[in-house]
């Protein structure tokens, strides 16, 4: 069962023209990118692609969630990074799906503290909550 948002705080709007071989523009004009299939999928690779856009959004959102949890726990995230690796491939039934690996670097923390922080952030992050139970999301410490 889907979880409804109790109160919408912000709504992002973006419009795609041409699908995977076109352009995407946000309603405020701050995002305007050429979209092209990567060379690995037979495209030119002369633009970004939906998987890169998803990876960028998930990485930024997850790090923000992690920093929020870290403040609550009073732990230091100085020098931290989050890299999202989004894989695209076939799933059963002839359709396509994605999987994600979140590679988190927390150089200022001991491994057990870092692991706990990452797991707690995974419960808070909106992207993690949206994908939970739908796709594989692998959490890794760098």
């Amino acid at each position: 069962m889907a979880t409804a948002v109790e109160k919408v705080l912000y709504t992002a709007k973006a419009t795609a023209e041409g699908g995977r071989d076109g352009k995407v523009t946000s309603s405020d004009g701050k995002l305007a990118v050429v979209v092209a299939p990567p060379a690995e999928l037979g495209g030119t690779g002369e633009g970004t692609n939906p998987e890169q856009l998803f990876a960028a959004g998930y990485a930024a959102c997850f790090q923000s969630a992690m920093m929020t949890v870290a403040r609550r726990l009073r732990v230091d995230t100085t020098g931290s990074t989050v890299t999202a690796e989004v894989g695209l491939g076939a799933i059963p039934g002839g359709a396509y799906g994605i999987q994600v690996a979140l590679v988190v670097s927390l150089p200022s923390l001991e491994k057990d503290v870092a692991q706990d922080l990452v797991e707690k952030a995974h419960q808070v992050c909106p992207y993690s909550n949206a994908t939970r139970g739908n796709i594989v999301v692998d959490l890794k410490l760098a």
Side-chain angles (χ1 to χ4, degrees):
M1 181 159 87
T3 303
V5 172
E6 292 176 2
K7 180 182 177 188
V8 175
L9 302 174
Y10 169 73
T11 300
K13 294 180 186 177
T15 302
E17 295 178 38
R20 287 184 169 272
D21 204 0
K23 64 181 179 176
V24 177
T25 309
S26 63
S27 60
D28 63 6
K30 292 180 181 177
L31 176 71
V33 295
V34 171
V35 182
E40 297 87 343
L41 297 179
T44 64
E46 293 182 9
T48 191
N49 59 66
E51 292 71 36
Q52 289 173 324
L53 294 169
F54 188 82
Y58 203 161
C61 190
F62 193 86
Q63 185 164 31
S64 235
M66 191 174 67
M67 291 169 20
T68 297
V69 172
R71 278 191 300 278
R72 292 179 191 159
L73 298 175
R74 292 185 170 94
V75 296
D76 183 16
T77 58
T78 300
S80 67
T81 61
V82 176
T83 301
E85 301 171 354
V86 176
L88 171 70
I91 59 173
Y96 293 92
I98 60 172
Q99 64 184 29
V100 176
L102 294 175
V103 183
V104 181
S105 174
L106 287 157
S108 62
L109 298 179
E110 296 294 324
K111 185 176 181 176
D112 60 331
V113 176
Q115 187 67 47
D116 182 59
L117 177 59
V118 167
E119 289 171 13
K120 286 178 176 166
H122 192 46
Q123 299 306 309
V124 172
C125 176
Y127 275 66
S128 293
N129 289 328
T131 59
R132 187 169 290 109
N134 298 309
I135 66 170
V136 171
V137 177
D138 187 21
L139 303 174
K140 300 178 180 181
L141 287 177

